[in-house]
Amino acid sequence: MPEDASAARAAAEEESAFSHPPIDPDASAPYGDHPDQVIDFYAPRTDAASAPLVVLLHGGAWRARYDRRHITPFADFLARRGFAVANVEYRRGGPDIPAQNTGDEPASVPPAGRWPETFDDVAAALDALPELAREALPSADARRVVLTGHSAGGHLALWAAARHVLPADSPWRTDRPAPLRGVVALAPIADLGMAAKLEVCDGAAVQLLGGQHSFAERAPYADPALLLPTGIATTLVQGRADRDVPYEVAESYADAAARSGEVVGVTLLEDVGHFPLIDPAADAAAVVAEEITQLAF
């Protein structure tokens, strides 16, 4: 496809994904004292006595201008398909982040992520979730939990599922695998090294780890491609036409998993870009729901 046509299609996909009004949750609960330490809950729109719980981590290159509201239509889409949904907010990079966290990128590019707060929050949210979900979503089945996330949230989903294989001195390490049915990562920034090489999202992967000077030191604590095998069923869903997070990033993670002895599923969607995966109006969202269903039921 010509470059102009490809860019126009990507812009139209993004416009469609962001055209839906935010959907208010059925309940919300804090997991910490910071305003961003909150989880929104969506009850399943069915009469089932119990429902699988989807834990959702939004994307946005770990930058503050993107919060959980943009993914609420997708959360509602999953709830209408019979899932209980927990939409997790976490601290992202913003104007108040020190300049050292911007790496070598232009000053006009907002910094990505907070080290270590972004990781602190995701770990704390997942640790607090079972109790919070019991109170907010009585119909959620804690035995059927699927972790999913889009883009930067896909990275965080893969990372959260790998906490039991973090280095021994990591404050986020757990002593056993998380009780998950699996992970469905959507266009994830799954391999930080490859993402840095490709300058994904204006160097966001480098910024997330505090800049070039700290990237190599922190990567073993943060890069899912270095935290394998996990022993947890994992599927990546990726648009082959994704201009934001090229499919080479997902393939690099899958290759790393194979070298570790683990099989990771990769569903590549032709003629699909970055945002249809979370757009309730797009066919790709139904593919995502089916991937989640296969793990949850």
Side-chain angles (χ1 to χ4, degrees):
M1 178 180 291
E3 176 67 18
D4 288 349
S6 175
R9 182 175 66 182
E13 290 175 341
E14 181 174 1
E15 182 179 4
S16 177
F18 282 84
S19 67
H20 310 287
I23 306 294
D24 290 336
D26 297 301
S28 296
Y31 62 87
D33 295 330
H34 193 277
D36 286 334
Q37 293 174 324
V38 64
I39 303 175
D40 289 340
F41 294 97
Y42 295 78
R45 314 305 189 209
T46 64
D47 296 329
S50 67
L53 175 61
V54 177
V55 183
L56 183 59
L57 291 156
H58 71 83
W62 309 284
R63 293 188 172 115
R65 63 187 178 191
Y66 299 100
D67 64 18
R68 69 192 184 281
R69 287 176 296 179
H70 79 268
I71 208 169
T72 60
F74 182 67
D76 178 70
F77 172 81
L78 293 176
R80 286 186 280 112
R81 286 183 167 250
F83 295 103
V85 182
N87 187 17
V88 178
E89 189 59 278
Y90 53 89
R91 282 174 283 183
R92 290 97 55 218
D96 58 326
I97 302 301
Q100 65 176 1
N101 278 5
T102 63
D104 299 325
E105 284 66 44
S108 60
V109 177
R114 297 172 182 252
W115 181 276
E117 289 88 351
T118 297
F119 297 92
D120 287 342
D121 286 359
V122 173
L126 270 292
D127 291 344
L129 184 62
E131 181 177 351
L132 296 179
R134 277 195 297 271
E135 297 179 3
L137 292 176
S139 63
D141 187 348
R143 299 167 300 177
R144 293 185 290 163
V145 179
V146 176
L147 186 55
T148 191
H150 177 242
S151 194
H155 157 266
L156 293 172
L158 294 169
W159 176 83
R163 289 171 61 197
H164 59 292
V165 296
L166 281 166
D169 63 342
S170 170
W172 307 303
R173 183 182 169 96
T174 57
D175 60 3
R176 59 177 62 90
L180 300 171
R181 283 289 181 93
V183 179
V184 179
L186 315 177
I189 307 180
D191 183 325
L192 296 185
M194 178 61 72
K197 179 181 178 180
L198 298 177
E199 299 183 345
V200 167
C201 299
D202 296 312
V206 174
Q207 295 173 20
L208 175 68
L209 302 194
Q212 290 287 1
H213 64 282
S214 56
F215 187 87
E217 176 186 353
R218 292 174 175 174
Y221 299 85
D223 189 345
L226 302 179
L227 299 171
L228 292 162
T230 67
I232 293 174
T234 299
T235 297
L236 313 182
V237 183
Q238 177 75 44
R240 192 178 286 277
D242 194 327
R243 294 166 59 94
D244 295 272
V245 183
Y247 72 89
E248 288 87 352
V249 177
E251 289 192 328
S252 183
Y253 175 86
D255 289 344
R259 289 193 298 270
S260 77
E262 190 159 79
V263 177
V264 167
V266 179
T267 298
L268 281 175
L269 304 181
E270 296 292 338
D271 301 321
V272 170
H274 193 61
F275 290 100
L277 303 178
I278 59 166
D279 183 353
D283 291 342
V287 175
V288 171
E290 180 57 30
E291 295 286 358
I292 295 172
T293 298
Q294 289 181 20
L295 288 176
F297 288 97

